Each structure stands twice: as structure tokens, then as C-alpha cells.
Amino acid sequence: GQQLNQSPQSMFIQEGEDVSMNCTSSSIFNTWLWYKQEPGEGPVLLIALYKAGELTSNGRLTAQFGITRKDSFLNISASIPSDVGIYFCAGHGSSNTGKLIFGQGTTLQVKP
Amino acid sequence: EAGVTQSPTHLIKTRGQQATLRCSPISGHTSVYWYQQALGLGLQFLLWYDEGEERNRGNFPPRFSGRQFPNYSSELNVNALELEDSALYLCASSLAGTGKNEKLFFGSGTQLSVL
């Protein structure tokens, strides 16, 4: 079945630094979504991407839909302590299954 | 506007019992999805309901079942609970039931503990 490989698994950075994480798939995805999950909460949608090559920003967050449609990237600029959490990539494949496939998550810790 | 709401927040059961989890989607959303988030295993797709019908289910045994009501709210039932069913169960909703390219909005989940 379709799988997503998300990296890195975890990051421990200094406040103010930029962060990059990515997801790759063995097959083509039609949609890429990026979520953030904080302890005791459900994932919150950050950015949705629908076209190959698309670059979308949401405040300090920028995500891109890879040209090959098999990868996506999320960048966070000038990190702040409230950026702490687990970031998940997720994607819809080519069939109408309603199934959103998730990466394993990137745990981000920010040192003030 | 209210987001996806789930109840209860926490549920403690013993092996062999049944658990019922509830979800109310965002107003105007017709599709409801259930995901299991077990420790260290990420989010696994369980079920998708749209317009009262089960549209797809993930690789889970039949003792995981559910339904969607006419008001689009949903229940997830887990029968004959096993220890490994302990997890955070997340409900999500989306605007339409096309099955593709939908933006899913998640609730805060029900933490099920099986003792």
C-alpha cells in the first residue's frame, strides 16, 4: 500500500532558527496536507497543496508540492517556542477512497 | 463556528468490554472519518462515512464498526476490547464526500484505555 516517509523524526532547535522537514512517497499523491498536533489535541490543518510545484505560505510556514508529485516540504522560519509539537504530512492518492495517508511525524522542540 | 467535537474525552474499559465513541462534525460537513493513533504508530485510517453510508474502511478487524446518523454525527463501536486497542481515536470531518483531495478537520480525540 501507499506509504509516506517523513524526516527528520525529531528536531531540537534554538529559537529563531529556520526548520525544514519533508515527506516522500513511493507513489503519486494528488493532495498534500500538513498538520500540527500538540499534546492532548487532535491534528490542526496548517497548509493544503493541490498542484505539482505549488508553493503556499501560512504566516511563517511555507510548504511545497513536489514536481514529481511524490514529495512535499514544510519550512518554518524564525521558530518560536509555540512552534513546539508534532508535524505530520498527509496525502491523498489517486483513488477516491477517502483515505488520507499520514507520515510518521516530525517532533519539533524549540529552546528559548 | 464549532469545530469537530468528540465525546467522551477519556474512556477506561477492561478487556472484553465494548466501547462507544461519539463525534459531531463541523456544521455543513457530510463526511466523517475515524482514525486510530496508537503510541508510536502514527495515524491509521479506520472508517469513512458519508451521507449515512460506510464508504471505506481500513485494515481493522470487524469488531471495529460504526455508523453515521441523519444529522451526520457518528459513532465508533469497538467490541471485545483488547489491550492493544488502547489509543487516541480521532474523528475528522470534511465538506464533501468525493473521497479525494478533501481537507480533513480533526477533533481532539477520545483517549481509550483498555485495562
Side-chain angles (χ1 to χ4, degrees), chain A residues 6 25 32 55 65 75 99 101:
Chain A
Q6 186 172 349
S25 167
W32 285 95
L55 187 71
F65 193 140
N75 295 314
K99 180 179 176 180
I101 298 167

Side-chain angles (χ1 to χ4, degrees), chain B residues 85-107:
Chain B
D85 295 334
S86 295
L88 181 67
Y89 289 83
L90 292 161
C91 173
S93 71
S94 71
L95 195 57
T98 63
K100 60 177 181 178
N101 302 338
E102 297 292 336
K103 289 194 288 190
L104 271 61
F105 296 89
F106 285 85

Side-chain angles (χ1 to χ4, degrees), chain A residues 8-54:
Chain A
Q9 275 191 314
S10 62
M11 303 181 75
F12 189 85
I13 62 169
Q14 196 78 30
E15 182 177 0
E17 289 183 355
D18 296 344
V19 172
S20 290
M21 58 192 79
N22 69 82
C23 268
T24 58
S25 167
S26 57
S27 56
I28 288 172
F29 277 73
N30 287 335
T31 308
W32 285 95
L33 305 173
W34 284 92
Y35 288 87
K36 177 188 177 186
Q37 186 175 25
E38 297 183 36
E41 298 294 329
V44 174
L45 181 63
L46 300 173
I47 292 178
L49 303 159
Y50 297 100
K51 289 190 288 190
E54 181 181 354

Side-chain angles (χ1 to χ4, degrees), chain A residues 24-98:
Chain A
T24 58
S25 167
S26 57
S27 56
I28 288 172
F29 277 73
N30 287 335
T31 308
W32 285 95
L33 305 173
W34 284 92
Y35 288 87
K36 177 188 177 186
Q37 186 175 25
E38 297 183 36
E41 298 294 329
V44 174
L45 181 63
L46 300 173
I47 292 178
L49 303 159
Y50 297 100
K51 289 190 288 190
E54 181 181 354
L55 187 71
T56 297
S57 293
N58 178 6
R60 293 178 296 105
L61 278 62
T62 301
Q64 184 163 25
F65 193 140
I67 291 291
T68 65
R69 294 170 65 192
K70 292 185 179 181
D71 57 6
S72 180
F73 306 86
L74 176 69
N75 295 314
I76 305 173
S77 62
S79 59
I80 58 178
S82 61
D83 289 334
V84 165
I86 304 176
Y87 292 79
F88 290 97
C89 63
H92 282 291
S94 55
S95 55
N96 302 351
T97 64

